[in-house]
């Protein structure tokens, strides 16, 4: 089973700052199979990024995803007040199965 | 726009069976999507339960496989989850979702199921 480790656990930043969230896979993961979600309290997760770097429909371009080896990164270029939430990475496979990272909480400093 | 809506009992007794249904609208359940269940214990992270294709093909999380059944009813445009022999550890918000291109694109609002006597 592939384990996804997200860091940091909590990130404290101010609106307007740049956020960099990391997701490291325990073994090689195809970028095709890596996605990022945003979850606000009391709400379902919302897909932000799929295929490591493709934005889902309606997602602002301040959200971007990248990959380097087994390290995946979600970057929010300039934080808006509505961006403070929990973020999860997710990978698909091996065998048909989705696994999620433990989440990074992005909080207002 | 795909809309998903979960329904089912919010309280299940220990050792009982959890049963939920997800109604699909805005897309054909016979489209190329897989239809998925995910759960989230209170204050914790996300756990994939399993998925079904309109043909009836299923894939399950190995950790739950012995207790899970997912089925589809194309005539009602809905799919269902059954989880047997539940314990308090199965208390969670249960989400249905549609998956494609290896990601979960659309989610229901979720429903809290509590396992308690």
């Amino acid at each position: 089973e592939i384990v996804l480790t997200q860091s940091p656990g909590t990130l404290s930043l101010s609106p307007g700052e740049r956020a960099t969230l990391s997701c490291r896979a325990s073994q090689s993961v195809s970028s095709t199979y890596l996605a990022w979600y945003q979850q606000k309290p009391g709400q379902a997760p919302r897909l932000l990024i799929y295929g490591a770097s493709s934005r889902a429909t309606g997602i602002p371009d301040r959200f971007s995803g990248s990959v380097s080896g087994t390290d995946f990164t979600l970057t929010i270029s300039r934080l808006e007040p509505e961006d403070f939430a929990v973020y999860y990475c997710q990978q698909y496979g091996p065998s048909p199965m989705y696994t999620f990272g433990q989440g990074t909480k992005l909080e207002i400093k | 726009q795909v809309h998903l809506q979960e329904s089912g009992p919010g309280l299940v007794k220990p050792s009982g069976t959890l049963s939920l249904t997800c109604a699909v609208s805005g897309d054909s359940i016979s489209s190329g999507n897989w239809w998925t269940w995910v759960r989230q214990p209170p204050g914790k992270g996300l756990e994939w339960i399993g998925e079904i294709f309109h043909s009836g093909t299923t894939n399950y999380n190995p950790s739950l496989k012995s207790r899970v059944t997912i089925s589809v009813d194309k005539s009602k445009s809905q799919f269902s989850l059954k989880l047997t022999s539940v314990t308090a550890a199965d208390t969670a918000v249960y989400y249905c979702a549609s998956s494609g291109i290896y990601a979960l694109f659309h989610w229901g609002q979720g429903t809290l199921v509590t396992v308690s006597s």
Side-chain angles (χ1 to χ4, degrees), chain A residues 33 37 39 44 88 90 92 98, chain B residues 40 48 95 99 102 104 108:
Chain A
Y33 300 152
Y37 301 84
Q39 187 178 34
Y88 293 96
Q90 164 252 297
Y92 179 87
Y98 290 83
Chain B
Q40 185 173 37
W48 178 77
Y95 296 101
S99 56
Y102 313 111
L104 304 175

Side-chain angles (χ1 to χ4, degrees), chain B residues 19-55:
Chain B
S19 296
L20 296 173
T21 296
C22 181
V24 178
S25 58
D27 188 17
S28 169
I29 203 163
S30 297
S31 68
N33 294 324
W34 286 75
W35 305 99
T36 301
W37 289 98
V38 174
R39 71 180 182 178
Q40 185 173 37
K44 296 188 178 181
L46 301 165
E47 180 180 34
W48 178 77
I49 299 171
E51 61 184 359
I52 190 165
F53 198 59
H54 63 80
S55 62

Side-chain angles (χ1 to χ4, degrees), chain B residues 28-98:
Chain B
S28 169
I29 203 163
S30 297
S31 68
N33 294 324
W34 286 75
W35 305 99
T36 301
W37 289 98
V38 174
R39 71 180 182 178
Q40 185 173 37
K44 296 188 178 181
L46 301 165
E47 180 180 34
W48 178 77
I49 299 171
E51 61 184 359
I52 190 165
F53 198 59
H54 63 80
S55 62
T57 301
T58 53
N59 297 305
Y60 298 130
N61 187 324
S63 69
L64 297 169
K65 187 174 184 177
S66 63
R67 300 194 290 130
V68 171
T69 302
I70 297 175
S71 59
V72 63
D73 186 335
K74 289 185 283 187
S75 67
K76 294 183 178 179
S77 195
Q78 64 185 34
F79 62 105
S80 300
L81 168 70
K82 289 190 186 301
L83 181 66
T84 62
S85 304
V86 296
T87 69
D90 296 308
T91 293
V93 175
Y94 286 76
Y95 296 101
C96 58
S98 65

Side-chain angles (χ1 to χ4, degrees), chain A residues 39-54:
Chain A
Q39 187 178 34
K40 297 180 181 179
Q43 296 184 18
R46 176 176 70 147
L47 178 66
L48 299 174
I49 301 286
Y50 63 95
S53 60
S54 297

